[in-house]
Amino acid sequence: MTQITPEILTNKTPESPPNPPNWLRYFSFSTDHKVIGIQYTVTAFFFFLVAGIFAMIIRGELITPEADLVDRTVYNALFTMHGTIMLFGWMFPVLAGLANYLVPLMIGARDMAFPRLNAAAFWMVPFFGMMFILSFLVPGGPAQAGWWSYPPVSIQNPSGQWLNGEFLWLLAVALSGVSSIMGAVNIVTTIVRMRCPGMGWFKMPIFVWTVLAAQIIQLFGLPALTAGAIMLLCDLSFGTTFFDPAQGGDPVLFQHFFWFYSHPAVYVMILPVFGIFSEIFPVYARKPLFGYKVVAVSSLIIVALSAVVWVHHMFASGTPDWMRMLFMISTMLISVPTGIKVFAWVATIWGGKLRLDSAMLFALGGLINFVFSGITGIMLSSTPVDIHVNNTYFVVGHFHYVIYGAIVFGLYAAIYHWFPKMTGKMYYEGLGKLHFWLTFIGTSLNFIPMHPLGLMGMPRRVASYDPEFAFWNFIASIGAFILGMSIIPFLVNMVASWLSGPSAPDNPWRAIGLEWLVSSPPDVENFEEIPIVISEPYTYGTSEPLTENMGG
Amino acid sequence: MTNVLTQENLNHSSQVAAHEHEHDEAGNSMFGFIVFLLSESVIFLSFFAGYIIYKTTTSDWLPVGVEGLEVREPAINTVILVSSSFVIYIAERYLHKENLWGFRFFWLLTMAMGSYFLYGQAVEWQSLQFGFSSGVFGGTFYLLTGFHGLHVFTGVLLQGIMLMRSFLPGNYEKGQFGVEATSLFWHFVDVIWIVLFILIYIWQ
Amino acid sequence: MKFKTILNLVAIAITLGAISIGIGQLSYSWLPPQASVESQLIDNLFSFLVTLGTFIFLGVTGTVMYSILFHRAGRYDLSDGPPIEGNVTLEIVWTAIPFLLVLWIAVYSYQTYMEMSIRHPMEMAHMPMAKAIAPAYAEPMDEAVEPMTNIEVEAKQWAWVFHYPEKNITSTELHLPVDRRAHLILRSLDVIHGFYIPAFRVKQDIIPQKNMDFEFTPIRTGKYRLRDSQYSGTYFAAMQADVVVESKEDYQQWLEEAAKRTPSAAPNEAASEYALREEKSAESAWVTVVPASEPIVNYHP
């Protein structure tokens, strides 16, 4: 083994073929941003499936009013871990994966600024992800306090064990935070300092803008959650009383720490999806992105506003009036920059030459779902309405529409769009369309009924409910099972296409962008020669070349 | 003809720029490190905000039998830690002038001052009548000073590594990122301490 | 030609407006019965938001659907669309209109909020009784001066207990006289609970170790549900109670009858479920916080 090492070290020159076999690279400590990007995406997808199975058990329990499928403790553990794994195991890693894969290619860099840090950040993901899953084995079971982990419930620790589910949960969340901060430092440095010549700020693709915006939120938001988590861990395990009201602590302070990060976290997730929409609509509508500069800058406005909206999660927590009104208005204001983006996309599509490939279908579906979730979001921001529907299924329906309806749709769109670039293979269009329709129907059936349920007053996180809620819950459960089935054509399509799909050309969609000027999949060094960008990113309908030296 | 030539020149110069752009690893590292420190400072800001909220809203702030905190010893500690920021700056100046032994002397002096600070804090902790679990006051006190102390300890550790690396031949051929980052980190830890000192010891 | 476009747009806007107003009116039926003054205020605001939201949703998705249906590229059409990169006027308009709409919604919400006068618990304690009643209600003045129904609410894992200081009785069912402002002091013994009666549209988290003042005015007799709205652990979903709103006479009668009863153990779902679970010693369950034993109260259903 040791004799091979020098050879691995020397294979940095672009001409020599990569030393380990191709597939093995994906299981190694590779520092290639493209390998890491795919590692992130595939690992995240595994956790998506795990947390998805939890969701199906939850919906199985809720198909009837009584708590009859699993014990209440198991149900509580399942919804806690469903939320936690979906966010920390699926959402953040898959977005990190896409950013990793695409950002260096899009800005004309050979790799990320810190390739080893990049790999280290990735390898923490399977580690803390397994911690979440293994916490099912400790005495007392995994954390059962919801993904908010509000004290005092989260520090009650009925098992009395030092090694309990909540303890592991806090450790894993902290590790996820460290991994995300490492990723954020890397991505921000890469975008600010590694852009190729000619790529000024207003020549960057919108995806790069939105990733930058999202990572800035990570940098200022995550530390607040970390601070809260450290204090919660001290309360749980070291006898402090920060959040224990019985001993002078203040449980509401934790809610502030938590939401100061966890509301902006939604923008961390959705901003890159806005970027994906902005990339995909021009390609499949054959038109430039409408109002590119405004769309770019609106991401930064969202970042600034996202820092001052968190109290809208606590309108029912006994917050003072001035706070309720102030945060109501700041929350509503977010709809302005967001609206700008939505209108820009609609105008981009308008009068175009639409081609409804799988990526475009998912992007359009995601856009419609997003508009719907944005409208329920405005309703929630209005304090009087929120006082009624806060902590009910209306909120659950709203954020699942955001996260599944808009974000996951956007992620699927991105995977279909860049699949040929990543793997060098084309996917099967028919399976992609089947996948889209199953997902769209499943999403609608699963999440629309949650809105009337919330309006009727069904609280979230319940294992049993009054019979008046039975009808809509039944529909929602059927929708959930359809959503579960929708994964099958996707998985079949991805695996079969990657193994034996037809080879992809360099630019199957006739898209404009640096990533489409290199081979599919790109070489280890991305570009033979660093590109020199001379035009704006979305010049559809004109014959302006994108670069001086590589055409486009 | 001339047009083509200037075009080629332009090409060439931008390619050189691209080349430099890519290999400015020290610059990237410093940029990334500053971004990291900014992010890290938010953890402290959160703890400070928490402390201020607790201090202004908790009814029985001090645990039973505790009068307040002794300021004299911590003040001396503060003076030593803050002065060490100037000392580490002098050390850096020597390194820039390529006076390695001057650098090492002042660098070691910084380490000694940092270590004294930690020692002083340990002595103070031992003399206190309240512990980590003595209500919110005890909790925030040990959390803030402990978390900061951890950063001082990390700083001294980094300084030790940099000191040892200064003996490696050719250590500074690729720039002085390690030394500069450690120094920046040290200033950061100092500024945090000044805020912390004002919050905990002056504002009683 | 241009006139025709404008006419078309106006016609579409009117149609969408009509549909939106229809759905806005329909939205009242999605909500539980209006059993409190607050519920009327909130429902009006909600209906307004639904109307506005429907208009925007139909406008945006309608435009998208139109593009999908009529702006498709032909199978062999590889040409590009028109290279329109933006339109400053349009961009200013669609920034300004949402901004104004947001202001409108914010002002309306603020007014509703003020009318509901859900006060901060701390503020309440320092307010004279008469001033604490918001003048904006459409109630006769003489009723507004009438003393409020004072009730102490105790929440614990996992039971609600209501204490009526007037007659010093306890109950696990919340009885309220109709058309009289209720003033509740909410307390929690362990974790954060949420006091939520959907039919009243009111909700308040109960922070342990604090007395949370809370007010609302029931206006419709009937039986409603009180639910815990803040996740409180294992038997969270079972933490519900009935709320009975009755005429003032019936209420007085109930108080007097309850006062005569000797306190007895009230049935409690969490406690009985836990006992059953321990009996079966179910293996597929994790250790839980033990539910408080059945509360001993004067009145229980």
Side-chain angles (χ1 to χ4, degrees), chain A residues 109-111 113-114 181 184-185 188-189 192-197 218-228 230-231 234 238-243 247-250 253 257 260 525 529-530 532 548-549, chain B residues 7 10-11 14-15 17-19 21-22 24-33 35-36 38-43 45-47 49-51 53-54 57-58 132-136 138-141 143 147:
Chain A
R110 292 205 193 280
D111 206 324
F114 312 113
I181 288 290
V185 167
V188 169
T189 308
V192 174
R193 297 187 47 95
M194 308 265 291
R195 281 170 291 132
C196 66
Q218 291 281 49
L219 288 169
F220 77 71
L222 252 178
L225 178 70
T226 311
I230 290 173
M231 291 163 82
C234 291
F238 306 118
T240 56
T241 61
F242 296 119
F243 305 128
Q247 298 178 67
D250 182 358
L253 185 64
F257 280 138
F260 182 78
E525 296 268 306
E529 177 187 354
I530 290 295
I532 299 163
E548 185 184 293
N549 50 348
Chain B
Q7 192 64 36
L10 263 177
N11 268 353
S14 47
Q15 268 159 16
H19 196 73
H21 215 62
E22 225 196 337
D24 185 12
E25 274 174 28
N28 285 353
S29 302
M30 203 59 194
F31 181 88
F33 191 68
V35 170
F36 168 74
L38 285 173
S39 181
E40 181 83 351
S41 67
V42 180
I43 297 193
L45 283 179
S46 306
F47 284 149
Y51 179 83
I53 290 164
Y54 282 130
T57 59
T58 309
F132 194 27
S133 53
S134 309
V136 177
T140 46
F141 174 82
L143 182 72
F147 196 64

Side-chain angles (χ1 to χ4, degrees), chain A residues 71-73 76 461 463-464, chain C residues 157-159 228 231-240 268-278 285-286 288-292:
Chain A
D71 186 76
R72 287 182 191 270
T73 51
N76 295 342
R461 295 179 170 155
S464 57
Chain C
Q157 286 171 320
W158 289 269
D228 186 0
Y231 176 69
S232 59
T234 310
Y235 295 97
F236 160 68
M239 195 167 155
Q240 307 199 22
N268 180 277
E269 199 184 328
S272 51
E273 247 187 67
Y274 179 74
L276 197 71
R277 190 184 105 156
E278 291 305 287
W286 284 302
T288 169
V289 173
V290 180

Side-chain angles (χ1 to χ4, degrees), chain A residues 72 144 286 321 324 388 390, chain C residues 81 113 203 205 231 273:
Chain A
R72 287 182 191 270
Q144 292 160 42
R286 312 308 305 165
D321 283 336
R324 290 175 171 184
H388 173 45
N390 182 299
Chain C
Y113 184 72
K203 185 178 286 136
D205 282 7
Y231 176 69
E273 247 187 67

Side-chain angles (χ1 to χ4, degrees), chain B residues 48-120:
Chain B
F48 292 158
Y51 179 83
I52 292 168
I53 290 164
Y54 282 130
K55 177 108 167 58
T56 49
T57 59
T58 309
S59 45
D60 303 309
W61 176 239
L62 293 176
V64 186
V66 177
E67 297 286 306
L69 289 165
E70 176 63 47
V71 185
R72 213 171 60 89
E73 301 293 326
I76 296 171
N77 243 345
T78 305
V79 172
I80 286 170
L81 189 68
V82 173
S83 344
S84 73
S85 247
F86 296 96
V87 179
I88 202 170
Y89 176 73
I90 297 171
E92 247 189 305
R93 298 300 308 161
Y94 272 110
L95 185 62
H96 283 309
K97 287 183 203 148
E98 286 170 28
N99 181 340
L100 268 184
W101 281 108
F103 161 71
R104 282 172 192 143
F105 174 76
F106 283 100
W107 197 255
L108 198 64
L109 187 59
T110 316
M111 284 176 70
M113 292 165 92
S115 307
Y116 179 83
F117 175 86
L118 285 175
Y119 168 76

